[in-house]
């Protein structure tokens, strides 16, 4: 079935203002919510934050816009602001910061894996695969704290849909800024799918960064606070990386069109996939609202750019956020690319031997971890609680954990508190022995 968003009128802007009761939705129950309802809620909050912020950038930086159009841009921004509250505040008060954090990283893993497999541009796909393995490791690091501090098993949140095991070690995610910059697409030839895919993941990563910025201090545990700081800094790199894929010569009205189209496509997908009937109603209303925004953006694009919106967004809907289990795909990328690193000119090093001694990321990594790496500390600490790290994966993948770590670890610029593969294997073996003893007693 084809659906051409440009042919839909959507809800007129005059009808989009909602009252406080409508804005503040009833939160879901954390014990009952489907994990992919939570990931949709988290992602759509990020999409709305980006949509809201962009309207302000547009009005701040673009001269020569007629008063009525400027007022309409700010009207749309206000509606994005209302939608953002609805999406974000579906989160219940008893869902802890760490539980929500696991939700954020599940978004990053399963969304990026979906996008990588539905990305027509090979280079952009490669970048998605690269970022994927970093968020995959964040999920693993935070899962240790969720267990230690709150007794949360990873599956309480990810519900068996996403593996939780070591990825590319977080201590190696810190790069020279110049290396994070990738090559951008050409706006004239890139497909609408590529543009929507990038804007979707970028919005998610930006909001992950914002969430850690606003919540990382909410625990008293200093090592956990430092871990939030470390991972937040990687999310900042992810924002840099994904935004660098966008052609910077796109005009602001072209970007406005793409933002509204991205919102339409995401709500369209949410509406198709949602299993919670109450939340589905919001996706339906919000799709209608976004179709109204898209109409206005298309009109402004025609007026100021004298171009046809179809040249930019095409004539069909795109599916940017189909949340479903991506374990097989992620495992494949993990085993193949855990040792990949960023190279100059938007290239990659495909193995450790390719990295030169004067790699620009080494001084960054040495500086930030000169005392120790918090994300390594969490594995050192969890040993006292659980004898080994907390993991959720098939036996087959679990058995490969130490060798994955061996492949993913750098020799140079590794922190002094690094957990090396032989140490990890020792922990795993000790856990096995202790489990046998415990089982005898029970
Ligand atoms: Fe919106
Ligand atoms: Fe992450
Ligand atoms: Fe990320
Ligand atoms: Fe919008």
């Amino acid at each position: 079935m084809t659906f051409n968003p440009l042919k839909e009128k959507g809800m007129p802007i005059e009808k989009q203002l909602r009252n406080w009761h409508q804005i503040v939705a009833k939160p879901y129950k954390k014990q009952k919510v489907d994990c992919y309802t939570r990931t949709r809620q988290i992602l759509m909050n990020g999409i709305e934050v980006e949509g809201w912020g962009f309207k302000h950038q547009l009005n701040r930086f673009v001269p020569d816009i007629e008063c009525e159009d400027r007022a309409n841009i700010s009207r749309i921004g206000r509606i994005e602001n209302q939608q953002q509250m609805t999406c974000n505040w579906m989160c219940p008060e008893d869902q802890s910061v760490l539980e929500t954090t696991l939700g954020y990283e599940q978004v990053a893993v399963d969304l990026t894996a979906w996008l990588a497999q539905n990305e027509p541009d090979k280079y952009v796909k490669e970048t998605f695969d690269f970022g994927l393995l970093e968020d995959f490791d964040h999920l693993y690091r935070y899962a240790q704290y969720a267990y230690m501090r709150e007794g949360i098993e990873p599956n309480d949140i990810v519900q068996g849909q996403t593996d939780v095991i070591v990825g590319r070690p977080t201590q190696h995610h810190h790069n020279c800024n110049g290396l994070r910059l990738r090559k951008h697409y050409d706006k004239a030839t890139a497909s609408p799918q590529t543009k929507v895919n990038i804007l979707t993941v970028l919005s998610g990563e930006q909001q992950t960064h914002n969430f850690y910025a606003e919540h990382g201090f909410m625990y008293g545990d200093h090592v956990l606070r430092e871990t939030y700081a470390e991972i937040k800094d990687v999310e900042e790199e992810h924002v840099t990386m994904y935004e660098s894929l966008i052609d910077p010569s796109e005009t602001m009205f072209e970007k406005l069109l793409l933002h509204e189209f991205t919102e339409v496509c995401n709500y369209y997908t949410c509406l198709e996939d949602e299993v919670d009937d109450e939340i589905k109603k919001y996706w339906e209303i919000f799709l209608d609202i976004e179709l109204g925004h898209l109409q206005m953006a298309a009109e402004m694009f025609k007026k100021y750019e004298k171009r046809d919106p179809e040249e930019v967004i095409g004539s069909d809907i795109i599916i940017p956020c189909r949340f479903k289990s991506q374990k097989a795909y992620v495992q494949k990328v993990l085993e193949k690319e855990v040792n990949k690193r960023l190279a100059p000119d938007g290239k990659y090093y495909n193995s450790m031997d390719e990295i030169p001694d004067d790699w620009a990321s080494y001084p960054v990594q040495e500086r930030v971890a000169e005392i120790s790496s918090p994300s390594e500390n969490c594995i050192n600490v969890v040993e006292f609680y659980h004898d080994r790290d907390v993991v959720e994966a098939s036996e087959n993948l679990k058995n490969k954990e130490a060798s994955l770590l061996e492949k993913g670890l750098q020799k140079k610029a590794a922190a002094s508190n690094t957990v090396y593969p032989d140490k990890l294997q020792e922990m795993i073996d000790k856990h096995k022995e202790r489990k046998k003893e415990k089982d005898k007693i029970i």
Side-chain angles (χ1 to χ4, degrees):
M1 195 188 77
T2 57
F3 177 84
N4 182 352
L6 284 168
K7 295 248 156 68
E8 304 291 323
K9 286 264 169 295
M11 191 188 290
I13 190 83
E14 318 80 70
K15 295 207 169 141
Q16 294 187 1
L17 203 62
R18 293 176 301 135
N19 65 42
W20 308 123
H21 178 75
Q22 293 166 315
I23 290 167
V24 181
K26 200 170 151 196
Y28 54 75
K29 301 264 183 262
K30 72 169 187 177
Q31 299 84 354
K32 289 189 183 156
V33 70
D34 183 276
C35 67
Y36 289 135
T37 295
R38 178 170 34 232
T39 57
R40 280 186 280 277
Q41 173 260 316
I42 289 172
L43 175 65
M44 294 323 297
N45 174 45
I47 299 265
E48 290 300 346
V49 168
E50 169 63 27
W52 165 76
F54 178 72
K55 308 307 174 299
H56 286 288
Q57 300 300 325
L58 204 161
N59 266 345
R60 272 178 224 170
F61 296 127
V62 182
D64 306 326
I65 303 179
E66 284 178 19
C67 280
E68 187 52 26
D69 290 331
R70 215 182 266 292
N72 276 334
I73 291 162
S74 94
R75 257 179 215 119
I76 299 175
R78 184 182 197 163
I79 302 302
E80 313 292 15
N81 184 54
Q82 291 198 341
Q83 290 174 299
Q84 183 273 326
M85 278 189 278
T86 306
C87 292
N88 201 28
W89 296 10
M90 284 175 187
C91 180
E93 58 119 20
D94 63 347
Q95 186 168 280
S96 72
V97 171
L98 272 166
E99 287 175 313
T100 307
T101 297
L102 298 187
Y104 267 87
E105 295 296 348
Q106 186 176 29
V107 171
V109 171
D110 289 341
L111 172 70
T112 317
W114 164 264
L115 294 175
Q117 293 164 90
N118 291 279
E119 173 49 58
D121 180 319
K122 277 203 180 92
Y123 180 74
V124 173
K125 177 200 181 296
E126 189 176 12
T127 307
F128 289 161
D129 284 340
F130 185 82
L132 168 66
L133 294 190
E134 299 190 330
D135 290 311
F136 185 75
D137 192 74
H138 299 166
L139 178 60
Y140 163 74
R141 308 282 158 177
Y142 282 128
Q144 311 308 313
Y145 286 107
Y147 177 82
M148 290 187 280
R149 288 198 53 99
E150 299 176 0
I152 295 158
E153 306 275 356
N155 276 344
D156 293 344
I157 300 297
V158 302
Q159 299 174 356
Q161 303 298 309
T162 310
D163 284 331
V164 178
I165 197 164
V166 70
R168 180 179 304 126
T170 293
Q171 64 162 324
H172 302 317
H173 300 179
H174 312 297
N175 285 278
C176 161
N177 290 73
L179 293 184
R180 267 291 173 189
L181 297 177
R182 305 285 86 198
K183 290 186 279 192
H184 66 76
Y185 62 67
D186 177 344
K187 65 177 182 182
T189 55
S191 79
Q193 173 109 41
T194 296
K195 295 173 184 177
V196 168
N197 284 355
I198 294 170
L199 197 47
T200 299
V201 73
L202 173 59
S203 305
E205 294 291 332
Q206 176 176 265
Q207 183 49 33
T208 307
H209 165 273
N210 296 349
F211 183 77
Y212 299 162
E214 296 296 342
H215 295 84
F217 61 84
M218 292 181 80
Y219 289 98
D221 181 328
H222 194 65
V223 187
L224 177 51
R225 288 163 75 107
E226 285 185 346
T227 302
Y228 269 107
E230 184 178 6
I231 296 180
K232 170 184 175 280
D233 196 60
V234 180
E235 305 305 350
E236 150 65 14
E237 286 200 32
H238 287 174
V239 174
T240 298
M241 176 170 76
Y242 290 125
E243 75 190 4
S244 72
L245 294 168
I246 299 173
D247 188 335
S249 71
E250 280 171 354
T251 67
M252 288 296 261
F253 281 106
E254 192 166 356
K255 285 185 188 299
L256 176 66
L257 189 62
L258 279 166
H259 273 75
E260 298 310 331
F261 183 55
T262 299
E263 291 192 84
V264 165
C265 294
N266 275 284
Y267 280 123
Y268 182 91
T269 317
C270 288
L271 180 60
E272 276 202 338
D273 294 353
E274 189 53 67
V275 291
D276 181 314
D277 291 339
E278 281 304 305
I279 290 180
K280 194 172 181 147
K281 286 181 201 158
Y282 287 101
W283 303 151
E284 193 172 6
I285 296 164
F286 289 0
L287 172 59
D288 206 22
I289 284 179
E290 296 305 344
L291 287 165
H293 294 178
L294 183 66
Q295 281 299 324
M296 294 190 93
E299 286 312 310
M300 287 189 218
F301 183 74
K302 284 190 239 171
K303 180 171 165 183
Y304 291 100
E305 307 270 324
K306 313 260 180 294
R307 289 165 63 199
D308 180 357
E310 265 193 34
E311 282 173 30
V312 178
I313 62 170
S315 57
D316 204 358
I317 197 81
I318 282 158
I319 303 296
C321 64
R322 178 130 291 152
F323 282 108
K324 56 182 198 174
S325 184
Q326 302 289 353
K327 286 178 176 182
Y329 181 77
V330 175
Q331 185 173 343
K332 192 178 81 181
V333 180
L334 181 65
E335 290 186 44
K336 206 166 139 242
E337 302 185 10
V338 71
N339 54 347
K340 205 161 169 166
R341 295 295 186 271
L342 297 170
D345 305 319
K347 297 193 177 101
Y348 292 92
Y349 298 123
N350 288 306
S351 74
M352 301 294 175
D353 330 325
E354 292 177 26
I355 307 174
D357 283 343
D358 62 350
W359 187 38
S361 293
Y362 281 142
V364 176
Q365 294 176 3
E366 280 161 356
R367 172 68 175 136
V368 291
E370 65 187 3
I371 307 292
S372 68
S373 161
S375 59
E376 288 297 312
N377 258 345
C378 72
I379 309 305
N380 287 310
V381 177
V382 79
E383 187 184 10
F384 291 102
Y385 288 74
H386 191 245
D387 296 329
R388 64 164 293 183
D389 54 346
V390 174
V391 294
E392 288 287 356
S394 65
E395 281 309 308
N396 163 289
L397 185 55
K398 276 195 209 166
N399 290 336
K400 295 176 184 168
E401 194 183 10
S403 63
L404 273 173
L405 181 60
E406 176 83 50
K407 189 172 176 181
L409 267 182
Q410 286 161 216
K411 300 269 179 306
K412 201 169 158 167
S416 60
N417 62 334
T418 297
V419 176
Y420 285 96
D422 49 351
K423 168 69 184 164
L424 181 65
Q425 193 57 53
E426 208 179 280
M427 284 163 61
I428 293 169
D429 295 340
K430 186 171 95 188
H431 179 266
K432 249 190 220 151
E433 282 310 305
R434 293 267 290 236
K435 189 165 180 323
K436 269 191 221 157
E437 284 169 34
K438 282 181 195 167
D439 287 349
K440 259 191 242 163
I441 298 163
I442 292 164

